[in-house]
Amino acid sequence: MEREGNTEQKVLVAVTGASGTIYAERLIQELMPRVSRLYIVASETALAVIPYEMKPLRSSAYSLHSLLKKNSFKGEHAKKLAVFANNDVFAPVASGSSAPDQMVVVPCSMGTLARIRTGVSQSLIERSADVVMKEGRRLILCPRETPLSILHLENMLSMAKMGVTILPPTPAFYQQPKNMDDLINFVVGKILEAMGFHHDLYPAWNKKRC
Ligand SMILES: Cc1cc2nc3c(=O)[nH]c(=O)nc-3n(C[C@H](O)[C@H](O)[C@H](O)COP(=O)(O)O)c2cc1C
């Protein structure tokens, strides 16, 4: 695993219109000190779902919605960040020559999952995922839907067979969460682990027996 603050990685976080946009906000916060470049793209539907879902959840130091409109990070962090529109096919991440090292789609709608699986590359999110896969970089999808149809499951299986990490944003209760932050941190911690980053969002399970 990479050591915190010791990585030159370029990471793309894509936010789609599935429920759970709060995970993206928390992940972006956690990634900021860990990466050299952080790209963010939100789908058109995500831009509508974010304010709808976030309104009652306002616990974070900044808002993903305003971040997407205007870079609300300050100083060194602001320089690392680039926010692209989902129709910006001229963005660097749309090309293999400047593909991100890792891409996370969180939350990932069933629609985006299906389009990535079939290689539809009409939006920047879909094109970037296509590029990340063809360049052999790490792609992590956090699909959110319940219950799941056979179509959803087949799409996930197919992506997993292609080497994509399928990481459903499902909080666990064995860490004995005290509040919603703990539940969110559990999912974000799992994503960081899948990306190869250390974190202290929750204690490792049964550390004493390691
Ligand atoms: C409040 C809200 C919550 C939604 N939650 C989900 C969800 O959890 N999973 C999903 O696949 N679609 C969900 N949808 C539907 C997607 O937003 C819709 O399929 C959209 O076309 C996805 O577009 P995108 O993949 O480009 O973001 C939700 C829509 C709304 C308005």
Side-chain angles (χ1 to χ4, degrees), residues 15-20 42-46 48-49 52-53 86 107-113 115 123 125-126 143-146 152:
V15 192
T16 74
S19 186
S43 73
E44 295 69 16
T45 319
V49 173
Y52 182 80
E53 284 197 332
N86 200 22
C108 181
S109 74
M110 294 303 111
T112 294
L113 169 75
R115 291 191 296 276
S123 71
I125 292 175
E126 293 154 19
R144 216 293 329 172
E145 189 48 276
T146 195
H152 300 149

Side-chain angles (χ1 to χ4, degrees), residues 14 21-22 30 47-48 60 67 75 81 87 115 117 119 131-132 136-137 139 141 148 166 172 177 179 186:
T21 49
I22 187 77
E30 289 293 323
L47 292 176
S60 176
L67 174 65
L81 188 73
N87 64 0
R115 291 191 296 276
R117 187 229 164 151
V131 165
V132 164
R137 311 283 167 86
L139 176 62
L141 303 182
L148 293 163
I166 302 296
N179 50 44
F186 182 83

